[in-house]
Every structure is written in C-alpha cells, then in structure tokens.
Amino acid sequence: MKIIRSTEQTFTSNSYIIITAKKNAVIIDPNSAESIVKMIGEYQAKVVYILLTHEHYDHVCGLGTLKAVCPETILVASKACSRQLPQVNVQKERFRL
C-alpha cells in the first residue's frame, strides 16, 4: 500500500491518494485534479473511491474533473457534505477563484 500526499499551492490544502497492492486507489479531498490524475497515471492505478471529509472548495475543487476522467468512481460523503456540494460554485465565485 502506498499513501501519497498532494498539496495544492493556491490554498495549501492537502489531498491524499491511497493505492493498494492491486493498484486500486482512494482519493481523499481531491483539491487538484491535474496533479492527482498525473499521479494516478504514474502508478497505473484505478480510482475506486473519492472520499470527501467536508465540502469546502479547497477540498473538493478537483471533484468534477476526476468524476469526468473516472466516471465509475464511487463518491463517499456525509449527508451534510452532499447537501452543500451545490454551494461549492458559490464559494468559488465569492473568492474569485
């Protein structure tokens, strides 16, 4: 098993990628889709789950791209987080990101 930390420079927030021996991956708080997709490719891993710890923009801004690249991926989030995901674009606009 390999655990990789990916730091997004704009917010200095962290994402984590857990890759199993069978090359299945879990992504926690996908903050930068570009770097995560690159790492997944380097390890030739299949993204099985994306786990959101909460809905702040700096923890979910890579979600849309990752779901487009890996549409079969299962998204795991609390009910509260799930309800707030539509507001992520409001956060983005508010902070002019």
Side-chain angles (χ1 to χ4, degrees):
M1 180 180 299
K2 182 134 185 105
I3 300 174
I4 305 162
R5 182 177 74 175
S6 173
T7 302
E8 200 284 324
Q9 298 305 315
T10 303
F11 309 105
T12 61
S13 64
N14 297 312
S15 285
Y16 294 90
I17 305 166
I18 302 169
I19 301 175
T20 68
K22 293 182 179 181
K23 298 193 183 233
N24 290 319
V26 175
I27 299 171
I28 302 169
D29 291 338
N31 59 14
S32 173
E34 185 177 306
S35 62
I36 292 171
V37 168
K38 181 180 175 185
M39 285 186 240
I40 292 298
E42 288 174 7
Y43 287 93
Q44 299 176 345
K46 176 186 176 192
V47 180
V48 179
Y49 294 102
I50 296 174
L51 172 65
L52 304 179
T53 61
H54 61 289
E55 71 282 354
H56 291 167
Y57 184 75
D58 61 328
H59 291 262
V60 302
C61 58
L63 179 60
T65 301
L66 284 169
K67 284 295 285 177
V69 171
C70 309
E72 71 286 349
T73 300
I74 298 168
L75 179 62
V76 180
S78 69
K79 285 183 184 180
C81 179
S82 296
R83 283 192 295 262
Q84 292 300 316
L85 282 178
Q87 296 300 314
V88 169
N89 285 331
V90 173
Q91 294 177 29
K92 180 180 178 181
E93 292 170 14
R94 182 181 311 148
F95 295 107
R96 296 188 172 113
L97 301 170

